[in-house]
Each structure stands twice: as C-alpha cells, then as structure tokens.
Amino acid sequence: MNQRGLSEEKVLSLLRSARLRDIPYERVLSSMCTKPHPVAVKAHMQFIESNLGDFGLFSGTKELEEKVIRLMGSLLGCEGACGYITTGGTESNIQALRTARNLVNKKHPNVVVPSSAHFSFDKIADLLGIEVRKADLDGEFKVDAGSVESLIDDSTIALVGVAGSTEFGQIDPVDELADIALSRDLFLHVDAAFGGFVIPFLDKKYDFDFSVRGVTSITSDPHKMGMSTIPAGGLLFRDETCLSPLEIDTPYLTIRAQHSLTGTRSGAAAAAAYAVMMHLGKDGYKKIIKRCMELTDRLVEGVEEFGIHPLIEPVMNIVSLPVPDLEGMRRELRQRGWYTSITRSPRAMRLIVMPHLSDEALEAFITDFGECLKNLR
Ligand code: 0PR
C-alpha cells in the first residue's frame, strides 16, 4: 500500500481505466447475470452500509429481507415460506443440503442430483462430506426418474431437481421427484437459481415449486433473472423446522443466533431485491420474460436459416446449438466481440438471452453467426 493516500480524483481515474477493461454486457451471451434494474441500484446505494449479519442494528433492513422472502414465497407457491437472502445460488444450494444433512443422522450421506446439476454441487460434496450421485438425463435433458430411483439407498438424505438447468434451461419433472421423495421420506431441494424468476412468468405452466407437495426447499436468485444487484440469492424452505439445523449461537451480537453461511452480509442486496420486486410487480417481470422469449424465438429462427437446429426447443431463454467446429466458431465470434458459452454433453454452443440484449445486438449476432459458419464450412 502507498504511504500517502491518492486524491479521490486519481483513485476514480484508476477505477475508470479498470472498468474500461471489463466487458460491457451488450455482446455477452454467456452470462446468467445482467445489468441490474436502476431501482435496485438506487436501493443498493441507500443501504450500502447495512449488515444483516448483525440485524439487531438494522431492523429496518431485516424487515425488508423478510418481505422479500414472503414475496418470493408467494411467487413460488408458499406464502409462509421462510429463508434468507444469500450471496447466490451456490450458498443457497450449500445451505439447503446442509439442512438436509443435519436433519438426519447418516454416517456416509449421499444426495442424488441430475447430471445437469450446477458445479456448486461438486463444491457441496467436498465441503459437506456428502457423496453426490449423478442421475442420467432423458433425451430432452430432464432427469430420468428411474435413474434417480436406482441411485437411492439407505444413506440417501436428499434428492435435487433443477428448474432451469444451467446448460439447457430445462425443467426436471419435479412432480415425479416429489413422489419418490414422499414415498421414501426424503428431503427434496429444487435448484431454480435461474428459473425462479422465469418459470412463473412463462405462458406455459410447470409444476416445479412449493405447489408440488414434497418440495422442501428452493434456490431462486434475485441477482440472475430477478434483475437485482449482486450478491443476492434466495434460499426458501417450506417451513421453519428446516432453519433450526442451520442455527448457530452468536453470543456477542445484537441477535441471539444466525442461520446464514456468511457472518457479515449485505443488507443492500436485500433492499435492492425488495425494491426491484415491488417496482416491477408480476406484470413487470412478465414483460421482461416475454421479451426475452421473443428474442429467443428470433435467435432460433435466425440460426435455423443457416441449417442449425437447437438441441431442444428452448423452454426458457437459453439456447443450445450443435455447431460444427464449436471451438472455431466461438473463436471467430469472440473476434467479433461476442461472448458465448458451451454445454458439456453433448458439446454445443450455449447462448443465454438476457434482458441486456438489444434487438439490434441480436440481429447483429445472427448475421455474424451466419458469416462465421460460412467461413468455417
Ligand atoms: N444453480 C444454477 C442452476 C445455476 O445456473 C447457477 C449459476 C448456480 C446454481 C450458482 O449460482 P451462483 O453463481 O449465484 O452462486 N449459473 C451460472 C453459471 O455458473 C452463473 C453465471 C453467472 C455464469 C454469470 C457466468 C456469468 O457471467 O454458469
């Protein structure tokens, strides 16, 4: 560290040049995060010093967090759901399975997840000492319930379904998983980190949330399609009994106990999530999702003209495209400023149509996609 402090002007100019090296979202088709809604940014700034790790000092912020959880609960089929605002999908998934593990006493616990599950479950295996068993997918990349059943044994503590899979945007048959979970008395966690703010607003209805009896907990992230600021994940439990296995005594705080994984945590993120949810309302989110789905349809229509057909008809705003010479295509597109991603199996180009994508950018992408394809063929 320098001995003498720099002027604010100098520091801000250092920041500006660093920020210039960041990629603006305009040409990013690989991210599940997006430009937060301006009202979320304002709320975030207003609560910048608020710490929900010691919420006895921040009872106003705590009330907002409780309201966010109620809003999310009602959106996800359970008005009375409880939980808290986490740092994101990873923390929510960790905490859900930590609860599941602590609720039962198994020497070598295992959980069954779809093989499409996010890599946060590999972190969970390592952190929590839980074996993570990966079930096969069907032809449409949904988890195969038969495969899930075949992996369950006496040491299984939980099942996981994904509603909006990271790579394909697919929704697992949560009702089938719930039947299995209920018949075997297992905890069922639904990872809707991405889908939680998409699926409720799609024209087609899916059974994926607490409206399905047997679903115990849900991950749904305001900092993805919820249009809120980073870091905001949501962890929801159907009932309070699931929170107590996470409880830790906090003798020297203004509060008696903590349930969160982190100690000090952002009150700004909770305030921002509250602000954007109240401001947009269901109609606002519906409009955003409708636009993303229209752009998604346009993307599919555009690439189909070049003879490329998506692996599945997109369920939400994620498209996976089997392209010849995948790495060559991604490199060429990257040279034109486009950021794309991949699916692992089968390998394909993965594109996420987030709210930051403009109509003009999408048309430019389709044109570039066609030209790159022609150059490589
Ligand atoms: N569960 C699912 C289904 C997810 O898709 C993700 C993240 C997580 C959990 C973990 O969430 P956090 O990253 O909030 O802990 N999915 C994206 C991914 O890993 C996240 C992402 C976001 C990737 C922005 C890239 C990016 O630029 O692919």
Side-chain angles (χ1 to χ4, degrees), residues 84-97 120 124 219 235 259-262 265:
Y84 75 97
I85 297 299
T86 65
T87 50
T90 301
E91 181 181 343
S92 299
N93 288 341
I94 292 170
Q95 291 284 82
L97 292 191
S120 48
I124 289 169
T219 289
L235 170 62
H259 301 97
S260 50
L261 182 61
T262 60
R265 63 191 181 95

Side-chain angles (χ1 to χ4, degrees), residues 25 28 30-34 87-93 116-121 123 162-167 191-195 219 221 223-224 230 232-233 318 341 350 352:
Y25 271 130
V28 175
S30 62
S31 173
M32 288 191 156
C33 291
T34 192
T87 50
T90 301
E91 181 181 343
S92 299
N93 288 341
S116 55
H118 183 256
F119 54 74
S120 48
F121 291 95
K123 298 183 184 177
V162 184
S165 60
T166 311
E167 293 173 42
D191 181 356
F194 187 76
T219 289
D221 289 351
H223 74 198
K224 295 193 172 77
I230 297 171
I318 299 178
S341 176
R350 165 183 172 244
I352 308 157

